[in-house]
Amino acid sequence: MSLAAEAFVSQMAAAEPWPETATLYQPLKEDQILLSDCASSLAVQAYLRMCGLPVQVVCRANAEYMSPSGKIPFIHVGNQVVSELGPIVQFTKAKGHSLSDGLDDVQRAEMKAYMELVNNMLLTAELYIQWCDDATAAEISRPRYSSPYSWPLSNILAYQKQWEVRRKMNAVGWGGKTLEQVYEDVSQCCQALSQRLGTQQYFFNKQPTELDALVFGHLFTILTTRLTSTELAEKIKSYGNLLSFCRRIEQTYFEDKSSS
Amino acid sequence: MAAPAELFCWEGSWGLPSVDPDCLVVLAYAQFAGAPLKLKKISNPWRSPSGSLPALRTNQKETLSRPSDIIIYLRKQKYNADFDLSAKEGADSLAFISLMEEKLRPALIYTFWIETKNYVDVTRRWYAEHMPFPLNFFVPGRMQHGQLEKLRLLRGNESLEAGEELEKELYRDAAECMNLLSQRLGSHKFFFGDSPSSLDAYVFGHLAPILKSKLPNGKLQQHLKSLENLTNFCTNILLLYFPRDGRESSSQKTSSQPEGGDFDHVPNKRRKQFLSALVALGAMLSYALLTGMVSIQHVQQEALEAPPDLQTIGSHEEEEGDG
């Protein structure tokens, strides 16, 4: 989003309260959405639920092309459209909803740093496994990604996406990595998160922050998604406190709503 | 012990041991850990074993080029600057390194390679002056192209161009990142305890080029200078771990004032003279060949055809002599 538009949005946002009709768009849940998009979408949903802001989830086959930044997910609130967790957090903050107000400067710095750790390592690893591991790309990612389209277009779009992600991997220096090294990185990242969490309920004491939402989105999605191998999920399962952390957030923010 | 591993790095300038952030990270870490490396400061990326800098050639003749891989290698060789860190501090290091990769690195690429005035006046000039003769015409441009490509992929925006809006966005992220680092550092000398660790190496590598370079557009530098503890942190590391480069800069400052008449101090003068003579000679020869080629070949053909004539003449003479 451009700066001018952002400034405009935050001004507008302050004026209006959160509407009941807010919607979150993501790709088709059953046949299309991929692990990384699903994780980002779940992170935003968890964040909004932690803030107590109602949002209706809508699945659209062309969600990627509807999003202003081309990234999943995005929310449509009133007459504004905001995509990705970072800008959405700023957007809700402008509306007076924030989870990180109680933190001091050092804690806020650490929270931002850990959020980038998740983006830099977990998200990149998810993209790598989806598009750079040949078995996963052929069996899962390409067929699912192109499921809404008919033959010639489906192949073109899927390979285009794969090509784009592979170039990105080369740019961030992941191009030469093997699958084992990527699993090793995931393990390292989970260990760091597990160390930071320790025995606390949430990453910063008793109150959840956007970091908790982001970590939950990624870990929960990895744990509950079936891939060609279970190794990625196994890496997380060796950290007991992360598992119970996921369970806790699921129970607190997702199960209550569905049962009531 | 076998011979030490060889580390290839970009040359230094502006009072820094190297101009490249990645090289600085590796150099700083090696200094912190006390790793004995055979350091080769070069200004020709083609002479590096991997084709890019930094590069580490290990005893087993492996070549590593990612800073994180090099640090992991040194750690395995028992040169570990993170030995004293608790598990939580190790986790924090990883998180802040990611933060810099995501927020500070794009701005660093932008300010050195994409911002037109900075690139033309400082970056391209520096690389062109330091590279050997034929490379300096195209390698800096190719490096810029590569960096632009990288920035586009990092930002996920294919049509990204240099411009005020992009600059503001990147610099805002970078300024926020510097503020966060400054808050985390507080009034300490290093990030964790009394001795520097890998996080200190990363922070130094990313911030020192901003602090020490003399860019026409120095917005990042201005912001960094307003954060006193980070500025002190960088100068401290320079003083403690790279005392020689710091002194060189002060002597360079006085000597590099008459920039205009500096042509006498061109490095590799002999070789450059020789190469330019060679190129001139080649150009003349090719011109001669292109225009006068036919006549040369003609002469050769005549020469080939001539001997039989001579022989026949000779044999005639012999026959005449016999007869």
Side-chain angles (χ1 to χ4, degrees), chain B residues 55-259:
Chain B
L56 184 83
R57 187 155 59 196
T58 65
N59 299 328
Q60 290 83 42
K61 296 295 166 219
E62 274 180 299
T63 304
L64 304 170
S65 54
R66 278 161 49 88
S68 56
D69 290 341
I70 297 178
I71 288 179
I72 289 169
Y73 170 82
L74 292 176
R75 217 173 274 167
K76 281 185 189 149
Q77 303 290 306
K78 307 279 178 284
Y79 299 112
N80 190 351
D82 301 343
F83 194 72
D84 294 331
L85 298 191
S86 70
K88 186 182 164 290
E89 288 171 332
D92 282 0
S93 300
L94 209 58
F96 277 95
I97 291 169
S98 305
L99 177 73
M100 277 184 282
E101 286 290 331
E102 297 275 325
K103 298 284 182 197
L104 199 53
R105 180 53 68 102
L108 212 57
I109 293 176
Y110 184 87
T111 196
F112 278 97
W113 293 98
I114 316 296
E115 218 281 328
T116 323
K117 205 165 163 47
N118 287 352
Y119 170 66
V120 173
D121 286 359
V122 178
T123 315
R124 189 175 65 187
R125 196 164 158 202
W126 189 89
Y127 282 98
E129 275 174 5
H130 285 74
M131 276 181 201
F133 156 68
L135 297 187
N136 56 3
F137 288 115
F138 60 94
V139 172
R142 265 203 347 204
M143 288 171 75
Q144 188 210 17
H145 191 257
Q147 298 281 0
L148 179 62
E149 188 76 15
K150 188 173 173 181
L151 188 63
R152 280 179 176 163
L153 289 166
L154 284 178
R155 304 282 300 179
N157 184 350
E158 286 291 313
S159 54
L160 187 124
E161 286 293 334
E164 224 170 278
E165 215 159 76
L166 175 69
E167 181 186 301
K168 263 192 198 161
E169 224 172 294
L170 291 176
Y171 286 4
R172 186 194 52 189
D173 279 354
E176 195 197 354
C177 177
M178 287 189 228
N179 291 342
L180 295 175
L181 287 173
S182 163
Q183 282 156 9
R184 181 65 185 74
L185 181 63
S187 56
H188 302 283
K189 196 173 173 193
F190 299 113
F191 276 87
F192 303 109
D194 293 329
S195 58
S197 64
S198 59
L199 177 60
D200 297 275
Y202 272 94
V203 175
F204 172 75
H206 283 79
L207 294 184
I210 299 177
L211 185 67
K212 289 291 178 179
S213 62
K214 296 174 187 71
L215 299 175
N217 178 348
K219 283 181 195 155
L220 282 181
Q221 190 181 46
Q222 276 168 21
H223 188 84
L224 179 57
K225 281 191 172 160
S226 71
L227 302 168
E228 213 170 294
N229 57 351
L230 282 185
T231 319
N232 290 340
F233 169 82
C234 290
T235 36
N236 248 339
I237 288 184
L238 272 176
L239 276 176
L240 285 173
Y241 292 94
F242 303 100
R244 225 154 23 108
D245 298 286
R247 241 176 282 142
E248 263 171 38
S249 84
S250 50
S251 62
Q252 250 177 21
K253 255 181 219 159
T254 49
S255 70
S256 66
Q257 283 299 355
E259 265 284 308

Side-chain angles (χ1 to χ4, degrees), chain A:
Chain A
M1 187 168 33
S2 74
L3 279 180
E6 209 166 281
F8 178 72
V9 162
S10 54
Q11 252 182 2
M12 292 289 295
E16 291 173 24
W18 190 269
E20 286 295 314
T21 56
T23 32
L24 179 145
Y25 289 90
Q26 65 173 35
L28 306 179
K29 206 167 173 56
E30 293 305 317
D31 328 302
Q32 191 195 9
I33 199 167
L34 296 177
L35 176 62
S36 59
D37 290 341
C38 189
S40 308
S41 176
L42 187 61
V44 172
Q45 289 175 44
Y47 173 74
L48 292 175
R49 287 187 179 210
M50 285 170 181
C51 289
L53 300 169
V55 70
Q56 193 194 350
V57 179
V58 175
C59 296
R60 287 283 163 82
N62 61 343
E64 189 179 351
Y65 302 101
M66 292 164 73
S67 163
S69 69
K71 295 203 177 121
I72 307 292
F74 67 98
I75 54 170
H76 180 196
V77 180
N79 51 3
Q80 288 140 28
V81 179
V82 192
S83 70
E84 293 179 80
L85 183 60
I88 288 173
V89 169
Q90 295 205 326
F91 178 75
T92 57
K93 197 171 185 179
K95 281 201 183 296
H97 301 277
S98 173
L99 295 176
S100 51
D101 278 345
L103 304 183
D104 63 34
D105 284 347
V106 174
Q107 282 178 324
R108 194 167 300 133
E110 283 176 356
M111 184 191 78
K112 292 259 165 76
Y114 276 92
M115 287 180 78
E116 293 308 330
L117 173 71
V118 173
N119 285 332
N120 193 5
M121 292 186 91
L122 271 188
L123 183 63
T124 319
E126 287 165 10
L127 285 171
Y128 180 97
I129 290 165
Q130 269 170 214
W131 295 107
C132 300
D133 174 39
D134 289 325
T136 314
E139 279 175 43
I140 299 174
S141 309
R142 282 202 303 264
R144 277 183 73 93
Y145 182 78
S146 59
S147 60
Y149 311 105
S150 52
W151 170 63
L153 185 63
S154 60
N155 269 15
I156 296 171
L157 288 177
Y159 278 102
Q160 199 182 18
K161 180 78 181 174
Q162 185 170 12
W163 173 242
E164 185 193 313
V165 173
R166 288 192 175 186
R167 273 177 51 211
K168 189 185 156 114
M169 291 296 141
N170 285 330
V172 296
W174 282 48
K177 284 194 182 181
T178 61
L179 201 55
E180 270 63 48
Q181 281 174 310
V182 171
Y183 286 138
E184 195 51 45
D185 281 352
V186 170
S187 194
Q188 207 186 357
C189 175
C190 289
Q191 196 191 354
L193 291 173
S194 167
Q195 283 295 342
R196 187 69 189 77
L197 183 64
T199 54
Q200 301 173 101
Q201 209 172 353
Y202 296 109
F203 277 92
F204 295 95
N205 303 324
K206 296 229 156 42
Q207 284 299 312
T209 59
E210 47 258 43
L211 173 63
D212 298 276
L214 184 66
V215 173
F216 169 75
H218 282 273
L219 296 187
F220 190 81
T221 309
I222 292 174
L223 286 170
T224 53
T225 306
R226 266 189 50 200
L227 292 171
T228 50
S229 94
T230 56
E231 195 148 349
L232 194 59
E234 292 300 325
K235 295 284 176 210
I236 299 172
K237 281 185 187 152
S238 51
Y239 298 98
N241 60 345
L242 292 181
L243 286 179
S244 47
F245 168 81
C246 286
R247 188 86 199 108
R248 190 177 310 127
I249 292 189
E250 190 197 1
Q251 279 173 343
T252 321
Y253 294 100
F254 286 84
E255 278 178 5
D256 286 354
K257 301 242 170 136
S258 56
S259 63
S260 64

